Amino acid sequence: MKGQWIDDWDGLYKGDQPPAWEDMEAHEAFCALVMNHCDPQSRVLELGCGLGHNAVHLARAGLSLTATDISPRAVEKCRQLAHNAAVDLHAAVLDVTNPPKALGTFDVVYEKGCWHSFFDPQSRADLARAVHGMLKPAGIWISSAGSADHHDDPNDPQRHTYPRLTLLQIATAVEGLFEIIEVRKGWYGQGKGRRFKTWECVFRKR
């Protein structure tokens, strides 16, 4: 998608080795943040679901949600994970930069690591507008985005690919479209996977 370093997202889900950013379990702190802004009646959309561990965790907890990703392979893996867990979960392929009108609107849109994959100001602003259009009035957008406060490990060969947003960049992209409800420090990844500092953000549609 335009504004991203990665062109072939689907190719990264080919085979058994998951992409480097995928945790093989739900990120419980992020899921708890999502749950704090949902109720059983909420219509919820996940952008960039990947393998689906967060989506399955939240669906098991009682949320009615649609998990989406640009990668058909990722969506199929998400569906399989939900099937194996006996969880009722709808998963679909979606280009977040061009959502179809038939998708409808949602009470809550959340994403962990989708917004920060857009590396220039215009594309981040475009995605903020796309999310705005997918939300009901006063709807909530929850985002976990890489923080510029993360310090480099000079021995990390992937250090140049970490997404790093400042609070000013975040505020600039959402101002006028969203009210900033909460921003807290967090971590992307856990265990032995990729781990870097994040901004955990909650916005309300203006």
Side-chain angles (χ1 to χ4, degrees), residues 6 9 12-13 18-23 48 50 112 188-189 193-194 196:
I6 297 172
W9 291 98
L12 296 174
Y13 286 93
W21 59 81
E22 287 279 2
D23 284 317
K112 181 175 177 290
Y188 191 101
R194 259 188 171 187
F196 53 88

Side-chain angles (χ1 to χ4, degrees), residues 123-142:
S123 63
R124 287 195 294 269
D126 289 344
L127 183 62
R129 279 190 288 273
V131 173
H132 186 272
M134 290 186 277
L135 283 167
K136 296 178 181 179
I140 296 293
W141 172 21
I142 302 169

